[in-house]
Amino acid sequence: MAEPGKEARRTLGIAVLGLGHVGAAMAACLLEAGHRVLAVDPDATRAARVARGQAPVHEPGVAERLARGLAAGRLAVAGRLEELAGLDLVLVCVGTPPHAGGGLALGEVETASRTLGRLLRRRAPDLPPLLLAYRSTLPPGTMEETVLPLLETESGAPPGSSWEAVYHPEFLREGSAVADQLAPSRIVLGERRPGAGRRLEGLHDGLDAPLFETSFAEAETLKLVDNGFHALKVAFANEIGRLCVAGGVDPQAVMRLLLADRRLNLSAAYLRPGAPFGGACLPKDLGSLLALGQTRGLELPLMAGVLASNDAHLAWLEGRVRALLPPPGPLLLLGLSFKPGTDDLRASPLVRLAGRLLAAGYRLDILDPDLDPEGAPERAAGLAAPLRACLRADLEAAAGPWRLALIGKPLPALVDRLPADLPRLDLHRLGGTAGA
């Protein structure tokens, strides 16, 4: 989308379905970029306000842009979409409110999809495929399992013929939706196939933001994860705030110091799905925080839940192993200390996992170049006897042949020496499986 005051490379005819905070901000920004906009909302009050060049919701920057677009003759308003003539693009911004079960109600998305499908039947066959971009928040699987089937059934044509659909999640905040639209952190397109949404790129001309093309499900999931992470940060800050206030400490000062670390705290560090946390510091200091909360009479459910989540993750990893290969295996585990470059076994999740696998009846060989049973007896001596008996000095000394290799931490030199046909399960990088 072009910057304010700059004409877009090509003027497009765009319908915006739904005039809440997202749809209203989108319509306003598209008009400012020089496009022709048909704003559609069944709510008569909202539609009437937009038809007068007024904002249908309280959102800074929307009213003046709508008014300028109306004065320039580029804005039309309707209570429902009745034809697709003159349109190059449809943006679906209808509501998906929560329902009683905690999920999202998709009635408006389904209605919009059926309407679009029926109108596509009347679209002139010599026109290029109409691009339908869904911006509403959708549960993963909605595009594949609901939207595409409805569009195909109602239009009588498959995607890629008279129409194409993409999922284009929005990351707009109420109160700054226009500013966020004009300066996005990134642009995400969920596509049926790579390149299917290329014609949408023209909307973002002039914006300095990276473009990511991905699958429907990944884009749908990202939208939920994005807001889940924001909620997590708010809850974390508030729990720390309660803890600080109860101890007579300035929580704003503590958080300023926390956020001054941009190498670990404000970074991608620790945000790569993989193994549970362990070691001498994280479990101990988290436990200390929780104990401090108890002495101050505070509930810290988020922090307490971190320990429970860590335990649940370990159990989930064991379940993945069992699903791939039931006992007795045999299994090869690469790595036992809690992270590369250390022989520290304290609170190592790999030690815990190995113990659970042995208890489940697996035959197990363990290799860890960071842990030399001969050179570091004080470390190995801390292991239960059954685990010590599984330690091997090198691949040649291991029993084999194995039916599955578990990669517990990054050990590329050792992994490269594994038999090429040996199935692997990468425990430190979720989603990283090979041959299994």
PDB file of all heavy atoms in Angstrom, residues 314-351:
ATOM      1  N   LEU A 314       8.086 -32.595  28.439  1.00  0.00           N
ATOM      2  CA  LEU A 314       8.908 -33.797  28.509  1.00  0.00           C
ATOM      3  C   LEU A 314       8.063 -35.045  28.270  1.00  0.00           C
ATOM      4  O   LEU A 314       8.468 -35.957  27.524  1.00  0.00           O
ATOM      5  CB  LEU A 314       9.596 -33.875  29.875  1.00  0.00           C
ATOM      6  CG  LEU A 314      10.572 -35.036  30.056  1.00  0.00           C
ATOM      7  CD1 LEU A 314      11.806 -34.831  29.203  1.00  0.00           C
ATOM      8  CD2 LEU A 314      10.963 -35.190  31.522  1.00  0.00           C
ATOM      9  N   ALA A 315       6.888 -35.084  28.881  1.00  0.00           N
ATOM     10  CA  ALA A 315       5.992 -36.222  28.677  1.00  0.00           C
ATOM     11  C   ALA A 315       5.557 -36.311  27.215  1.00  0.00           C
ATOM     12  O   ALA A 315       5.422 -37.406  26.654  1.00  0.00           O
ATOM     13  CB  ALA A 315       4.772 -36.100  29.588  1.00  0.00           C
ATOM     14  N   TRP A 316       5.339 -35.152  26.591  1.00  0.00           N
ATOM     15  CA  TRP A 316       4.944 -35.139  25.175  1.00  0.00           C
ATOM     16  C   TRP A 316       6.059 -35.692  24.292  1.00  0.00           C
ATOM     17  O   TRP A 316       5.807 -36.445  23.348  1.00  0.00           O
ATOM     18  CB  TRP A 316       4.591 -33.716  24.778  1.00  0.00           C
ATOM     19  CG  TRP A 316       4.130 -33.552  23.372  1.00  0.00           C
ATOM     20  CD1 TRP A 316       2.878 -33.795  22.877  1.00  0.00           C
ATOM     21  CD2 TRP A 316       4.908 -33.100  22.255  1.00  0.00           C
ATOM     22  NE1 TRP A 316       2.837 -33.512  21.521  1.00  0.00           N
ATOM     23  CE2 TRP A 316       4.064 -33.086  21.125  1.00  0.00           C
ATOM     24  CE3 TRP A 316       6.239 -32.692  22.121  1.00  0.00           C
ATOM     25  CZ2 TRP A 316       4.515 -32.689  19.860  1.00  0.00           C
ATOM     26  CZ3 TRP A 316       6.685 -32.301  20.863  1.00  0.00           C
ATOM     27  CH2 TRP A 316       5.828 -32.303  19.752  1.00  0.00           C
ATOM     28  N   LEU A 317       7.314 -35.335  24.588  1.00  0.00           N
ATOM     29  CA  LEU A 317       8.437 -35.863  23.815  1.00  0.00           C
ATOM     30  C   LEU A 317       8.525 -37.386  23.959  1.00  0.00           C
ATOM     31  O   LEU A 317       8.777 -38.102  22.974  1.00  0.00           O
ATOM     32  CB  LEU A 317       9.745 -35.211  24.266  1.00  0.00           C
ATOM     33  CG  LEU A 317       9.949 -33.749  23.876  1.00  0.00           C
ATOM     34  CD1 LEU A 317      11.243 -33.220  24.471  1.00  0.00           C
ATOM     35  CD2 LEU A 317       9.951 -33.571  22.363  1.00  0.00           C
ATOM     36  N   GLU A 318       8.323 -37.877  25.172  1.00  0.00           N
ATOM     37  CA  GLU A 318       8.321 -39.328  25.360  1.00  0.00           C
ATOM     38  C   GLU A 318       7.217 -39.969  24.523  1.00  0.00           C
ATOM     39  O   GLU A 318       7.412 -41.029  23.910  1.00  0.00           O
ATOM     40  CB  GLU A 318       8.122 -39.672  26.836  1.00  0.00           C
ATOM     41  CG  GLU A 318       8.130 -41.173  27.099  1.00  0.00           C
ATOM     42  CD  GLU A 318       7.726 -41.543  28.513  1.00  0.00           C
ATOM     43  OE1 GLU A 318       7.540 -40.642  29.346  1.00  0.00           O
ATOM     44  OE2 GLU A 318       7.603 -42.757  28.788  1.00  0.00           O
ATOM     45  N   GLY A 319       6.071 -39.304  24.473  1.00  0.00           N
ATOM     46  CA  GLY A 319       4.977 -39.834  23.656  1.00  0.00           C
ATOM     47  C   GLY A 319       5.322 -39.885  22.182  1.00  0.00           C
ATOM     48  O   GLY A 319       4.911 -40.816  21.467  1.00  0.00           O
ATOM     49  N   ARG A 320       6.070 -38.902  21.700  1.00  0.00           N
ATOM     50  CA  ARG A 320       6.490 -38.921  20.298  1.00  0.00           C
ATOM     51  C   ARG A 320       7.404 -40.108  20.022  1.00  0.00           C
ATOM     52  O   ARG A 320       7.303 -40.764  18.984  1.00  0.00           O
ATOM     53  CB  ARG A 320       7.221 -37.628  19.941  1.00  0.00           C
ATOM     54  CG  ARG A 320       6.362 -36.391  19.911  1.00  0.00           C
ATOM     55  CD  ARG A 320       7.093 -35.250  19.229  1.00  0.00           C
ATOM     56  NE  ARG A 320       7.067 -35.404  17.785  1.00  0.00           N
ATOM     57  CZ  ARG A 320       7.917 -34.804  16.948  1.00  0.00           C
ATOM     58  NH1 ARG A 320       8.871 -34.032  17.441  1.00  0.00           N
ATOM     59  NH2 ARG A 320       7.824 -34.978  15.657  1.00  0.00           N
ATOM     60  N   VAL A 321       8.315 -40.377  20.974  1.00  0.00           N
ATOM     61  CA  VAL A 321       9.210 -41.524  20.814  1.00  0.00           C
ATOM     62  C   VAL A 321       8.400 -42.809  20.757  1.00  0.00           C
ATOM     63  O   VAL A 321       8.586 -43.662  19.875  1.00  0.00           O
ATOM     64  CB  VAL A 321      10.237 -41.581  21.960  1.00  0.00           C
ATOM     65  CG1 VAL A 321      11.086 -42.851  21.845  1.00  0.00           C
ATOM     66  CG2 VAL A 321      11.129 -40.342  21.943  1.00  0.00           C
ATOM     67  N   ARG A 322       7.473 -42.968  21.683  1.00  0.00           N
ATOM     68  CA  ARG A 322       6.649 -44.179  21.736  1.00  0.00           C
ATOM     69  C   ARG A 322       5.837 -44.355  20.451  1.00  0.00           C
ATOM     70  O   ARG A 322       5.630 -45.474  19.973  1.00  0.00           O
ATOM     71  CB  ARG A 322       5.702 -44.126  22.935  1.00  0.00           C
ATOM     72  CG  ARG A 322       6.366 -44.351  24.292  1.00  0.00           C
ATOM     73  CD  ARG A 322       5.363 -44.127  25.415  1.00  0.00           C
ATOM     74  NE  ARG A 322       5.858 -44.502  26.712  1.00  0.00           N
ATOM     75  CZ  ARG A 322       5.699 -45.708  27.265  1.00  0.00           C
ATOM     76  NH1 ARG A 322       5.070 -46.659  26.606  1.00  0.00           N
ATOM     77  NH2 ARG A 322       6.164 -45.947  28.476  1.00  0.00           N
ATOM     78  N   ALA A 323       5.336 -43.219  19.911  1.00  0.00           N
ATOM     79  CA  ALA A 323       4.524 -43.309  18.697  1.00  0.00           C
ATOM     80  C   ALA A 323       5.354 -43.759  17.498  1.00  0.00           C
ATOM     81  O   ALA A 323       4.861 -44.481  16.621  1.00  0.00           O
ATOM     82  CB  ALA A 323       3.877 -41.954  18.407  1.00  0.00           C
ATOM     83  N   LEU A 324       6.614 -43.350  17.463  1.00  0.00           N
ATOM     84  CA  LEU A 324       7.473 -43.725  16.342  1.00  0.00           C
ATOM     85  C   LEU A 324       8.033 -45.137  16.488  1.00  0.00           C
ATOM     86  O   LEU A 324       8.194 -45.850  15.491  1.00  0.00           O
ATOM     87  CB  LEU A 324       8.631 -42.729  16.215  1.00  0.00           C
ATOM     88  CG  LEU A 324       8.276 -41.329  15.711  1.00  0.00           C
ATOM     89  CD1 LEU A 324       9.466 -40.402  15.829  1.00  0.00           C
ATOM     90  CD2 LEU A 324       7.800 -41.399  14.256  1.00  0.00           C
ATOM     91  N   LEU A 325       8.332 -45.499  17.722  1.00  0.00           N
ATOM     92  CA  LEU A 325       8.953 -46.809  17.945  1.00  0.00           C
ATOM     93  C   LEU A 325       8.588 -47.305  19.341  1.00  0.00           C
ATOM     94  O   LEU A 325       9.109 -46.800  20.340  1.00  0.00           O
ATOM     95  CB  LEU A 325      10.481 -46.712  17.810  1.00  0.00           C
ATOM     96  CG  LEU A 325      11.253 -48.009  18.015  1.00  0.00           C
ATOM     97  CD1 LEU A 325      10.911 -49.021  16.916  1.00  0.00           C
ATOM     98  CD2 LEU A 325      12.759 -47.724  18.027  1.00  0.00           C
ATOM     99  N   PRO A 326       7.700 -48.297  19.460  1.00  0.00           N
ATOM    100  CA  PRO A 326       7.326 -48.833  20.778  1.00  0.00           C
ATOM    101  C   PRO A 326       8.511 -49.555  21.416  1.00  0.00           C
ATOM    102  O   PRO A 326       9.477 -49.928  20.737  1.00  0.00           O
ATOM    103  CB  PRO A 326       6.183 -49.815  20.454  1.00  0.00           C
ATOM    104  CG  PRO A 326       5.725 -49.434  19.073  1.00  0.00           C
ATOM    105  CD  PRO A 326       6.921 -48.905  18.369  1.00  0.00           C
ATOM    106  N   PRO A 327       8.462 -49.769  22.741  1.00  0.00           N
ATOM    107  CA  PRO A 327       9.510 -50.545  23.404  1.00  0.00           C
ATOM    108  C   PRO A 327       9.574 -51.948  22.787  1.00  0.00           C
ATOM    109  O   PRO A 327       8.552 -52.448  22.298  1.00  0.00           O
ATOM    110  CB  PRO A 327       9.036 -50.606  24.863  1.00  0.00           C
ATOM    111  CG  PRO A 327       8.072 -49.468  25.001  1.00  0.00           C
ATOM    112  CD  PRO A 327       7.430 -49.296  23.666  1.00  0.00           C
ATOM    113  N   PRO A 328      10.731 -52.563  22.724  1.00  0.00           N
ATOM    114  CA  PRO A 328      11.968 -52.194  23.428  1.00  0.00           C
ATOM    115  C   PRO A 328      12.954 -51.382  22.592  1.00  0.00           C
ATOM    116  O   PRO A 328      14.065 -51.151  23.031  1.00  0.00           O
ATOM    117  CB  PRO A 328      12.563 -53.569  23.746  1.00  0.00           C
ATOM    118  CG  PRO A 328      12.163 -54.413  22.572  1.00  0.00           C
ATOM    119  CD  PRO A 328      10.792 -53.944  22.185  1.00  0.00           C
ATOM    120  N   GLY A 329      12.593 -50.945  21.398  1.00  0.00           N
ATOM    121  CA  GLY A 329      13.534 -50.191  20.572  1.00  0.00           C
ATOM    122  C   GLY A 329      14.325 -51.121  19.668  1.00  0.00           C
ATOM    123  O   GLY A 329      13.712 -51.914  18.939  1.00  0.00           O
ATOM    124  N   PRO A 330      15.666 -51.093  19.693  1.00  0.00           N
ATOM    125  CA  PRO A 330      16.515 -50.270  20.558  1.00  0.00           C
ATOM    126  C   PRO A 330      16.676 -48.828  20.059  1.00  0.00           C
ATOM    127  O   PRO A 330      16.451 -48.543  18.880  1.00  0.00           O
ATOM    128  CB  PRO A 330      17.853 -51.015  20.523  1.00  0.00           C
ATOM    129  CG  PRO A 330      17.861 -51.662  19.183  1.00  0.00           C
ATOM    130  CD  PRO A 330      16.438 -52.031  18.878  1.00  0.00           C
ATOM    131  N   LEU A 331      17.063 -47.929  20.974  1.00  0.00           N
ATOM    132  CA  LEU A 331      17.210 -46.511  20.687  1.00  0.00           C
ATOM    133  C   LEU A 331      18.650 -46.066  20.894  1.00  0.00           C
ATOM    134  O   LEU A 331      19.372 -46.603  21.733  1.00  0.00           O
ATOM    135  CB  LEU A 331      16.336 -45.677  21.638  1.00  0.00           C
ATOM    136  CG  LEU A 331      14.829 -45.884  21.640  1.00  0.00           C
ATOM    137  CD1 LEU A 331      14.223 -45.095  22.795  1.00  0.00           C
ATOM    138  CD2 LEU A 331      14.235 -45.427  20.324  1.00  0.00           C
ATOM    139  N   LEU A 332      19.038 -45.034  20.127  1.00  0.00           N
ATOM    140  CA  LEU A 332      20.296 -44.343  20.350  1.00  0.00           C
ATOM    141  C   LEU A 332      19.967 -42.912  20.742  1.00  0.00           C
ATOM    142  O   LEU A 332      19.264 -42.214  20.014  1.00  0.00           O
ATOM    143  CB  LEU A 332      21.160 -44.345  19.077  1.00  0.00           C
ATOM    144  CG  LEU A 332      22.435 -43.489  19.132  1.00  0.00           C
ATOM    145  CD1 LEU A 332      23.409 -44.028  20.180  1.00  0.00           C
ATOM    146  CD2 LEU A 332      23.096 -43.410  17.761  1.00  0.00           C
ATOM    147  N   LEU A 333      20.455 -42.469  21.902  1.00  0.00           N
ATOM    148  CA  LEU A 333      20.245 -41.102  22.358  1.00  0.00           C
ATOM    149  C   LEU A 333      21.556 -40.341  22.242  1.00  0.00           C
ATOM    150  O   LEU A 333      22.562 -40.715  22.856  1.00  0.00           O
ATOM    151  CB  LEU A 333      19.755 -41.085  23.812  1.00  0.00           C
ATOM    152  CG  LEU A 333      19.632 -39.703  24.477  1.00  0.00           C
ATOM    153  CD1 LEU A 333      18.634 -38.812  23.740  1.00  0.00           C
ATOM    154  CD2 LEU A 333      19.240 -39.846  25.947  1.00  0.00           C
ATOM    155  N   LEU A 334      21.553 -39.262  21.460  1.00  0.00           N
ATOM    156  CA  LEU A 334      22.729 -38.413  21.307  1.00  0.00           C
ATOM    157  C   LEU A 334      22.560 -37.191  22.199  1.00  0.00           C
ATOM    158  O   LEU A 334      21.739 -36.323  21.924  1.00  0.00           O
ATOM    159  CB  LEU A 334      22.904 -37.986  19.848  1.00  0.00           C
ATOM    160  CG  LEU A 334      23.051 -39.116  18.815  1.00  0.00           C
ATOM    161  CD1 LEU A 334      23.303 -38.541  17.431  1.00  0.00           C
ATOM    162  CD2 LEU A 334      24.171 -40.061  19.221  1.00  0.00           C
ATOM    163  N   GLY A 335      23.343 -37.147  23.265  1.00  0.00           N
ATOM    164  CA  GLY A 335      23.272 -36.028  24.193  1.00  0.00           C
ATOM    165  C   GLY A 335      22.640 -36.441  25.509  1.00  0.00           C
ATOM    166  O   GLY A 335      21.624 -37.147  25.523  1.00  0.00           O
ATOM    167  N   LEU A 336      23.249 -35.984  26.600  1.00  0.00           N
ATOM    168  CA  LEU A 336      22.702 -36.258  27.927  1.00  0.00           C
ATOM    169  C   LEU A 336      22.789 -35.021  28.824  1.00  0.00           C
ATOM    170  O   LEU A 336      21.893 -34.788  29.634  1.00  0.00           O
ATOM    171  CB  LEU A 336      23.438 -37.430  28.585  1.00  0.00           C
ATOM    172  CG  LEU A 336      22.732 -38.083  29.776  1.00  0.00           C
ATOM    173  CD1 LEU A 336      21.392 -38.675  29.349  1.00  0.00           C
ATOM    174  CD2 LEU A 336      23.605 -39.148  30.418  1.00  0.00           C
ATOM    175  N   SER A 337      23.839 -34.229  28.675  1.00  0.00           N
ATOM    176  CA  SER A 337      23.900 -32.980  29.443  1.00  0.00           C
ATOM    177  C   SER A 337      22.846 -32.024  28.902  1.00  0.00           C
ATOM    178  O   SER A 337      22.330 -32.208  27.796  1.00  0.00           O
ATOM    179  CB  SER A 337      25.287 -32.356  29.354  1.00  0.00           C
ATOM    180  OG  SER A 337      25.584 -31.943  28.030  1.00  0.00           O
ATOM    181  N   PHE A 338      22.539 -30.961  29.656  1.00  0.00           N
ATOM    182  CA  PHE A 338      21.343 -30.187  29.324  1.00  0.00           C
ATOM    183  C   PHE A 338      21.508 -29.264  28.121  1.00  0.00           C
ATOM    184  O   PHE A 338      20.525 -28.791  27.568  1.00  0.00           O
ATOM    185  CB  PHE A 338      20.847 -29.417  30.555  1.00  0.00           C
ATOM    186  CG  PHE A 338      21.525 -28.101  30.802  1.00  0.00           C
ATOM    187  CD1 PHE A 338      20.923 -26.905  30.419  1.00  0.00           C
ATOM    188  CD2 PHE A 338      22.760 -28.050  31.427  1.00  0.00           C
ATOM    189  CE1 PHE A 338      21.544 -25.695  30.661  1.00  0.00           C
ATOM    190  CE2 PHE A 338      23.372 -26.839  31.683  1.00  0.00           C
ATOM    191  CZ  PHE A 338      22.774 -25.656  31.288  1.00  0.00           C
ATOM    192  N   LYS A 339      22.779 -29.003  27.681  1.00  0.00           N
ATOM    193  CA  LYS A 339      22.960 -28.236  26.450  1.00  0.00           C
ATOM    194  C   LYS A 339      24.369 -28.475  25.928  1.00  0.00           C
ATOM    195  O   LYS A 339      25.245 -28.957  26.670  1.00  0.00           O
ATOM    196  CB  LYS A 339      22.692 -26.751  26.670  1.00  0.00           C
ATOM    197  CG  LYS A 339      23.706 -26.016  27.532  1.00  0.00           C
ATOM    198  CD  LYS A 339      23.350 -24.530  27.597  1.00  0.00           C
ATOM    199  CE  LYS A 339      24.356 -23.750  28.428  1.00  0.00           C
ATOM    200  NZ  LYS A 339      24.017 -22.307  28.450  1.00  0.00           N
ATOM    201  N   PRO A 340      24.641 -28.136  24.659  1.00  0.00           N
ATOM    202  CA  PRO A 340      25.965 -28.381  24.087  1.00  0.00           C
ATOM    203  C   PRO A 340      27.052 -27.583  24.798  1.00  0.00           C
ATOM    204  O   PRO A 340      26.813 -26.498  25.335  1.00  0.00           O
ATOM    205  CB  PRO A 340      25.818 -27.906  22.633  1.00  0.00           C
ATOM    206  CG  PRO A 340      24.361 -27.843  22.368  1.00  0.00           C
ATOM    207  CD  PRO A 340      23.710 -27.550  23.672  1.00  0.00           C
ATOM    208  N   GLY A 341      28.248 -28.139  24.799  1.00  0.00           N
ATOM    209  CA  GLY A 341      29.391 -27.439  25.357  1.00  0.00           C
ATOM    210  C   GLY A 341      29.521 -27.539  26.853  1.00  0.00           C
ATOM    211  O   GLY A 341      30.338 -26.835  27.450  1.00  0.00           O
ATOM    212  N   THR A 342      28.718 -28.378  27.493  1.00  0.00           N
ATOM    213  CA  THR A 342      28.804 -28.548  28.940  1.00  0.00           C
ATOM    214  C   THR A 342      28.576 -30.012  29.296  1.00  0.00           C
ATOM    215  O   THR A 342      27.886 -30.733  28.571  1.00  0.00           O
ATOM    216  CB  THR A 342      27.773 -27.670  29.679  1.00  0.00           C
ATOM    217  OG1 THR A 342      27.861 -27.913  31.090  1.00  0.00           O
ATOM    218  CG2 THR A 342      26.360 -27.985  29.221  1.00  0.00           C
ATOM    219  N   ASP A 343      29.197 -30.420  30.413  1.00  0.00           N
ATOM    220  CA  ASP A 343      28.953 -31.783  30.911  1.00  0.00           C
ATOM    221  C   ASP A 343      28.020 -31.769  32.118  1.00  0.00           C
ATOM    222  O   ASP A 343      27.913 -32.750  32.842  1.00  0.00           O
ATOM    223  CB  ASP A 343      30.275 -32.469  31.270  1.00  0.00           C
ATOM    224  CG  ASP A 343      31.016 -31.762  32.408  1.00  0.00           C
ATOM    225  OD1 ASP A 343      30.546 -30.695  32.850  1.00  0.00           O
ATOM    226  OD2 ASP A 343      32.070 -32.267  32.846  1.00  0.00           O
ATOM    227  N   ASP A 344      27.310 -30.657  32.306  1.00  0.00           N
ATOM    228  CA  ASP A 344      26.438 -30.494  33.470  1.00  0.00           C
ATOM    229  C   ASP A 344      25.156 -31.307  33.285  1.00  0.00           C
ATOM    230  O   ASP A 344      24.398 -31.100  32.324  1.00  0.00           O
ATOM    231  CB  ASP A 344      26.099 -29.015  33.643  1.00  0.00           C
ATOM    232  CG  ASP A 344      25.534 -28.705  35.025  1.00  0.00           C
ATOM    233  OD1 ASP A 344      25.155 -29.661  35.733  1.00  0.00           O
ATOM    234  OD2 ASP A 344      25.478 -27.515  35.387  1.00  0.00           O
ATOM    235  N   LEU A 345      24.936 -32.218  34.188  1.00  0.00           N
ATOM    236  CA  LEU A 345      23.757 -33.082  34.125  1.00  0.00           C
ATOM    237  C   LEU A 345      22.648 -32.648  35.075  1.00  0.00           C
ATOM    238  O   LEU A 345      21.581 -33.267  35.114  1.00  0.00           O
ATOM    239  CB  LEU A 345      24.142 -34.532  34.455  1.00  0.00           C
ATOM    240  CG  LEU A 345      25.161 -35.184  33.520  1.00  0.00           C
ATOM    241  CD1 LEU A 345      25.549 -36.556  34.045  1.00  0.00           C
ATOM    242  CD2 LEU A 345      24.610 -35.292  32.116  1.00  0.00           C
ATOM    243  N   ARG A 346      22.896 -31.580  35.836  1.00  0.00           N
ATOM    244  CA  ARG A 346      21.906 -31.150  36.829  1.00  0.00           C
ATOM    245  C   ARG A 346      20.618 -30.714  36.146  1.00  0.00           C
ATOM    246  O   ARG A 346      20.611 -29.852  35.278  1.00  0.00           O
ATOM    247  CB  ARG A 346      22.469 -30.017  37.681  1.00  0.00           C
ATOM    248  CG  ARG A 346      23.556 -30.446  38.640  1.00  0.00           C
ATOM    249  CD  ARG A 346      24.149 -29.265  39.371  1.00  0.00           C
ATOM    250  NE  ARG A 346      24.883 -28.375  38.478  1.00  0.00           N
ATOM    251  CZ  ARG A 346      25.444 -27.233  38.862  1.00  0.00           C
ATOM    252  NH1 ARG A 346      25.333 -26.835  40.126  1.00  0.00           N
ATOM    253  NH2 ARG A 346      26.102 -26.486  37.986  1.00  0.00           N
ATOM    254  N   ALA A 347      19.508 -31.325  36.556  1.00  0.00           N
ATOM    255  CA  ALA A 347      18.171 -31.020  36.025  1.00  0.00           C
ATOM    256  C   ALA A 347      18.113 -31.137  34.502  1.00  0.00           C
ATOM    257  O   ALA A 347      17.294 -30.475  33.863  1.00  0.00           O
ATOM    258  CB  ALA A 347      17.721 -29.625  36.462  1.00  0.00           C
ATOM    259  N   SER A 348      18.974 -31.972  33.943  1.00  0.00           N
ATOM    260  CA  SER A 348      18.953 -32.133  32.482  1.00  0.00           C
ATOM    261  C   SER A 348      17.680 -32.851  32.043  1.00  0.00           C
ATOM    262  O   SER A 348      17.380 -33.953  32.527  1.00  0.00           O
ATOM    263  CB  SER A 348      20.161 -32.944  32.009  1.00  0.00           C
ATOM    264  OG  SER A 348      20.004 -33.283  30.635  1.00  0.00           O
ATOM    265  N   PRO A 349      16.921 -32.273  31.110  1.00  0.00           N
ATOM    266  CA  PRO A 349      15.723 -32.967  30.633  1.00  0.00           C
ATOM    267  C   PRO A 349      16.066 -34.260  29.897  1.00  0.00           C
ATOM    268  O   PRO A 349      15.249 -35.181  29.861  1.00  0.00           O
ATOM    269  CB  PRO A 349      15.071 -31.941  29.701  1.00  0.00           C
ATOM    270  CG  PRO A 349      16.167 -31.022  29.288  1.00  0.00           C
ATOM    271  CD  PRO A 349      17.102 -30.954  30.456  1.00  0.00           C
ATOM    272  N   LEU A 350      17.275 -34.345  29.344  1.00  0.00           N
ATOM    273  CA  LEU A 350      17.661 -35.569  28.633  1.00  0.00           C
ATOM    274  C   LEU A 350      17.916 -36.711  29.615  1.00  0.00           C
ATOM    275  O   LEU A 350      17.623 -37.866  29.307  1.00  0.00           O
ATOM    276  CB  LEU A 350      18.901 -35.311  27.773  1.00  0.00           C
ATOM    277  CG  LEU A 350      18.693 -34.309  26.642  1.00  0.00           C
ATOM    278  CD1 LEU A 350      19.991 -34.041  25.899  1.00  0.00           C
ATOM    279  CD2 LEU A 350      17.621 -34.801  25.660  1.00  0.00           C
ATOM    280  N   VAL A 351      18.436 -36.381  30.788  1.00  0.00           N
ATOM    281  CA  VAL A 351      18.588 -37.406  31.825  1.00  0.00           C
ATOM    282  C   VAL A 351      17.215 -37.918  32.247  1.00  0.00           C
ATOM    283  O   VAL A 351      16.988 -39.127  32.382  1.00  0.00           O
ATOM    284  CB  VAL A 351      19.353 -36.843  33.039  1.00  0.00           C
ATOM    285  CG1 VAL A 351      19.317 -37.829  34.207  1.00  0.00           C
ATOM    286  CG2 VAL A 351      20.801 -36.546  32.655  1.00  0.00           C
TER     287      VAL A 351
END
